[in-house]
Amino acid sequence: MALPLPLIEHISQRLDSFADTQRDEVRELGPEAEGFVAHALASLVGGKRLRGRFCATGWRSVRGGDAPLPPSVIDACASLEVFQAAALVHDDLIDNSDTRRGRPAAHRALEAWHRDAAWVGDAARFGRSGAVLLGDLLLAWSADLFDAALSALDTSPDAARREYARMRREVMIGQFLDVAEESAWPRTPDDEHADRALRIASLKSARYSVQQPLVIGGALGGADDDQLRALAAFGHPLGLAFQLRDDVLGVFGDEQQTGKPAGDDLREGKRTLLIAYAREGVAPDVRERIDALVGDPDLADDDVTSLRRVIVDSGALNRVEELISSYGEEAAAALSAAPLDAGAVEELGRLLDAATRRTA
């Protein structure tokens, strides 16, 4: 998905300067501390900067589509990107994922560091423990950058601070619900699986990936209540469409484009809407086979292919694609009546199209 280079460059430059500061501050603490920080900073490399883009567009929707972004907004955009990196580090650890963006996941990179250094003890345990702390460090850095943004605002910081706090709470709860669902689903009535999957998608991704960055950006710009409601009304269905597209890519995506092995969501046991719909659309014996295969970390490629076929034949893929389109239409309808800058509305429309049609 093509992003406007100037914005990416602004965010990347701010992250680079922030990284330089972190390296300078830790240098006197010794090589282990320097290595730890280096691994944390490596997690900030790459990505589509989507949350930063939504935040910037939320600000411009209030201040004007052509308004230059002040340093405070760039700090907020960078903060959201660091928060995203923290969430991914913890997500990969929880899911036991080996790769992220085509590189070793943080816990695997730390494990390799331990092994290469010939340290004593269990390298895998070191990697897992270090990744917990690394993700926590990224969360602290995100808060530092957001505090810097608030300190330089020309408007009241209260609304932005409140929305940032809401985002942090909701994504942590959503992440736990995702973990819990992998254990709780056998005790849950079949007709509740889809609703529970959508609840997780809303909290874990839709709100923090799209809705809250937009609302935070608007709050930074001094949006009134009607404007904040309009941004949320647009952002939430778009965020759901974004997450459902992510679920589709997690099963059917091209590894060269997504940076993660094809079928990883199946091996990780993700109880997504795709799986809920597939279970609804098959006979009991096929449902038992789905339940036996989803969540098997050693799932063979042939089994992944078989599950993909079941998902397609059950109608689940078509149902999810239709829901993505429906959420896109809901977001577009909310945008058409929004009391926001016309130029920013056009940019939000492009974001809507890109987020729902993306292949990575």
Side-chain angles (χ1 to χ4, degrees), residues 31-44:
E32 292 82 13
E34 288 185 85
F36 179 56
V37 166
H39 278 283
L41 294 173
S43 69
L44 303 179

Side-chain angles (χ1 to χ4, degrees), residues 212-263:
Q212 289 307 106
L214 278 171
V215 172
I216 288 168
L220 291 168
D224 61 32
D225 289 344
D226 288 340
Q227 290 172 317
L228 292 177
R229 279 192 290 268
L231 289 168
F234 167 76
H236 190 249
L238 174 55
L240 284 170
F242 179 88
Q243 178 56 43
L244 294 181
R245 174 61 62 212
D246 207 53
D247 293 344
V248 171
L249 292 174
V251 175
F252 296 95
D254 183 342
E255 181 177 349
Q256 297 302 313
Q257 293 182 296
T258 63
K260 294 192 70 175

Side-chain angles (χ1 to χ4, degrees), residues 158-331:
D158 293 346
R161 181 181 291 112
R162 182 172 61 250
E163 297 300 338
Y164 179 77
R166 186 197 309 275
M167 176 193 71
R168 289 189 300 183
R169 291 193 303 270
E170 288 181 343
V171 74
M172 300 304 174
I173 293 171
Q175 181 68 277
F176 176 77
L177 292 178
D178 192 28
V179 171
E181 192 65 15
E182 293 176 24
S183 299
W185 68 266
R187 300 291 181 263
T188 303
D190 288 343
D191 60 2
E192 293 181 14
H193 284 208
D195 287 343
R196 290 167 71 95
L198 278 173
R199 180 184 66 177
I200 292 168
S202 172
L203 285 169
K204 184 185 173 186
S205 182
R207 300 190 191 190
Y208 112 93
S209 295
V210 181
Q211 177 182 330
Q212 289 307 106
L214 278 171
V215 172
I216 288 168
L220 291 168
D224 61 32
D225 289 344
D226 288 340
Q227 290 172 317
L228 292 177
R229 279 192 290 268
L231 289 168
F234 167 76
H236 190 249
L238 174 55
L240 284 170
F242 179 88
Q243 178 56 43
L244 294 181
R245 174 61 62 212
D246 207 53
D247 293 344
V248 171
L249 292 174
V251 175
F252 296 95
D254 183 342
E255 181 177 349
Q256 297 302 313
Q257 293 182 296
T258 63
K260 294 192 70 175
D264 245 19
D265 279 7
L266 299 174
R267 295 185 179 92
E268 292 164 7
K270 296 292 186 184
R271 289 283 154 177
T272 64
L273 193 63
L274 268 178
I275 299 303
Y277 280 169
R279 294 179 80 258
E280 289 179 10
V282 297
D285 61 321
V286 181
R287 188 178 305 126
E288 289 178 5
R289 176 166 172 76
I290 293 172
D291 293 341
L293 292 177
V294 173
D296 179 357
D298 300 318
L299 200 64
D301 290 343
D302 287 346
D303 288 328
V304 170
T305 300
S306 175
L307 279 170
R308 285 172 169 167
R309 189 177 303 114
V310 168
I311 290 169
V312 172
D313 292 345
S314 69
L317 180 59
N318 280 340
R319 290 180 70 184
V320 170
E321 290 289 355
E322 289 171 0
L323 194 55
I324 290 172
S325 296
S326 176
Y327 282 132
E329 291 169 2
E330 182 182 342

Side-chain angles (χ1 to χ4, degrees), residues 60-81:
R60 283 182 167 140
S61 71
V62 177
R63 291 297 185 95
D66 297 324
L69 293 173
S72 59
V73 176
I74 297 298
D75 279 347
C77 293
S79 168
L80 294 178
E81 293 301 323

Side-chain angles (χ1 to χ4, degrees), residues 22-104:
Q22 303 315 307
R23 292 189 190 97
D24 289 342
E25 290 184 352
V26 79
R27 191 163 290 126
E28 64 183 29
L29 300 181
E32 292 82 13
E34 288 185 85
F36 179 56
V37 166
H39 278 283
L41 294 173
S43 69
L44 303 179
V45 176
K48 296 179 284 292
R49 307 301 188 209
L50 188 65
R51 287 150 192 84
R53 188 178 179 186
F54 278 122
C55 181
T57 309
W59 185 86
R60 283 182 167 140
S61 71
V62 177
R63 291 297 185 95
D66 297 324
L69 293 173
S72 59
V73 176
I74 297 298
D75 279 347
C77 293
S79 168
L80 294 178
E81 293 301 323
V82 178
F83 185 89
Q84 160 72 349
L88 293 179
V89 166
H90 285 157
D91 201 41
D92 288 341
L93 179 60
I94 291 167
D95 296 336
N96 202 32
S97 298
D98 291 328
T99 60
R100 171 63 63 180
R101 295 171 178 167
R103 300 187 300 272

